[in-house]
């Protein structure tokens, strides 16, 4: 799977009503609707306006507040104004914690029991201090050799949060079958699905701006394939389908990669060129 750069993936999540994560029909709520997850970014002023405008359409909000360093220290900060918007509408708040280091630099944190416990304690600390409903863990770029360490970390974090009545969601890469190497090689989907309350399948970035041939970021046959595999490994009532809504503008006469566009920009481009969405 081609990978979408993290900056671009999150940039499109500012339109929180569109960048939704949807639980499968088997766990739809009694009123016939889905649980809808929206990712909020802190670096774009339009994000707060979008959140305020569309909070009623969401069930869970995941602000990208925090990052974790190699020493288990938490970087970033809470935004009380955003929290207030979410809580005033009685929505669940599960802020994101991302890894600030990757590959070998992340290995000691995952594999050394004392460092792993420090990383668990750090996340539990911010969860309790800010009264969150839980945490969304988005660790990417993990070395496949750290597969057991990542699994142990997810289990320990889930146990610690559950003891305090809090939830854990974990983002996983999309794949059509078991992998022991590459971007998804570190993720034991079945073990993660058994430990976490929700598993977010990142079903996007099949194609990125580096691909020379224009096409969708999430081809439907591929989405079906990765969703079917994830469903075979993760209980359906814990699985969340991640949908990306950015686009690319390819100029096939130039050698530069395609330009990433936000949803609103793609709508303008379609209108200007008489496209049919």
């Amino acid at each position: 799977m081609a990978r979408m750069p993290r900056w671009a993936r999150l940039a499109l999540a500012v339109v929180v009503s569109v960048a939704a994560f949807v639980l499968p029909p088997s766990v739809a709520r009694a009123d016939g609707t889905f649980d809808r997850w929206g990712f909020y970014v802190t670096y774009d002023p339009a994000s707060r306006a979008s959140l305020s405008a569309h909070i009623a359409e969401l069930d869970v909000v995941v602000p990208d507040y925090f990052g974790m360093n190699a020493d288990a220290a938490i970087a970033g900060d809470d935004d009380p104004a955003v929290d207030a918007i979410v809580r005033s509408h009685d929505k669940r708040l599960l802020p994101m914690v991302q890894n600030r280091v990757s590959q070998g630099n992340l290995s000691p944190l995952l594999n050394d029991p004392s460092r792993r416990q420090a990383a668990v304690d750090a996340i539990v600390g911010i969860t309790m201090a800010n009264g969150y409903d839980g945490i969304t863990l988005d660790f990417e770029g993990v070395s496949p050799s750290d597969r057991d360490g990542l699994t142990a970390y997810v289990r320990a974090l889930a146990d610690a949060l559950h003891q305090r009545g809090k939830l854990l969601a974990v983002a996983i890469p999309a794949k059509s079958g078991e992998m022991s190497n590459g971007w998804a090689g570190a993720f034991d989907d079945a073990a993660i699905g058994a430990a976490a309350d929700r598993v977010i399948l990142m079903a996007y970035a099949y194609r990125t701006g580096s691909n020379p041939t224009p096409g969708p970021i999430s081809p439907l046959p591929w989405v079906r394939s990765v969703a079917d595999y994830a469903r075979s490994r993760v209980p359906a009532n814990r699985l969340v389908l991640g949908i990306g809504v950015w686009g690319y503008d390819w100029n096939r006469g130039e050698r530069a990669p395609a330009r990433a566009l936000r949803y609103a920009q793609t709508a303008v481009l379609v209108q200007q060129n008489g496209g049919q969405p």
Side-chain angles (χ1 to χ4, degrees):
M1 181 188 73
R3 176 184 174 237
M4 179 66 175
R6 176 174 288 169
W7 69 265
R9 173 167 55 82
L10 290 175
L12 273 300
V14 297
V15 188
V16 292
S17 66
V18 180
F21 292 109
V22 185
L23 288 170
S26 59
V27 289
R29 296 200 308 264
D31 61 3
T33 60
F34 299 122
D35 252 2
R36 293 158 296 191
W37 291 50
F39 277 51
Y40 172 89
V41 299
T42 56
Y43 53 77
D44 191 318
S47 193
R48 186 169 302 184
S50 180
L51 178 66
S52 298
H54 298 287
I55 184 65
E57 301 164 45
L58 299 174
D59 301 292
V60 181
V61 177
V62 183
D64 69 326
Y65 285 162
F66 303 110
M68 177 165 284
N69 295 319
D71 61 356
I74 296 289
D77 204 357
D78 176 76
D79 187 335
V82 170
D83 297 353
I85 294 172
V86 177
R87 289 171 174 146
S88 67
H89 289 80
D90 198 27
K91 309 298 183 178
R92 283 174 289 170
L93 187 62
L94 277 77
M96 182 188 297
V97 177
Q98 298 174 315
N99 52 312
R100 292 289 178 91
V101 293
S102 63
Q103 296 296 325
N105 291 324
L106 188 61
S107 299
L109 184 147
L110 295 176
N111 294 299
D112 181 86
S114 61
R115 296 192 188 190
R116 191 163 61 221
Q117 187 59 50
V120 169
D121 293 343
I123 291 181
V124 170
I126 61 171
T127 304
M128 302 307 295
N130 294 290
Y132 300 141
D133 297 292
I135 284 292
T136 299
L137 189 70
D138 180 26
F139 274 18
E140 302 184 33
V142 183
S143 173
S145 62
D146 293 334
R147 182 183 177 99
D148 290 344
L150 177 62
T151 298
Y153 178 62
V154 169
R155 285 173 173 161
L157 180 58
D159 287 345
L161 289 171
H162 293 161
Q163 289 173 15
R164 295 160 176 82
K166 303 297 182 180
L167 303 172
L168 174 63
V170 179
I172 62 170
K175 54 190 176 185
S176 300
E178 189 54 52
M179 298 179 65
S180 59
N181 53 29
W183 190 252
F187 292 80
D188 184 337
D189 295 355
I192 291 172
D197 300 283
R198 293 291 184 269
V199 177
I200 302 166
L201 177 64
M202 297 185 286
Y204 41 74
Y206 176 88
R207 183 177 277 100
T208 73
S210 63
N211 291 99
T213 305
I217 62 171
S218 301
L220 186 55
W222 174 77
V223 172
R224 286 176 171 150
S225 175
V226 299
D228 284 345
Y229 178 74
R231 216 169 36 157
S232 75
R233 308 294 288 169
V234 178
N237 62 353
R238 298 188 180 192
L239 189 61
V240 183
L241 178 63
I243 302 170
V245 294
W246 66 87
Y248 290 104
D249 181 14
W250 274 274
N251 187 332
R252 303 181 74 178
E254 296 182 2
R255 298 182 64 182
R259 181 169 60 100
L261 302 176
R262 302 186 183 193
Y263 179 78
Q265 293 173 305
T266 65
V268 171
L269 196 63
V270 167
Q271 185 177 31
Q272 289 175 344
N273 292 277
Q276 182 63 45

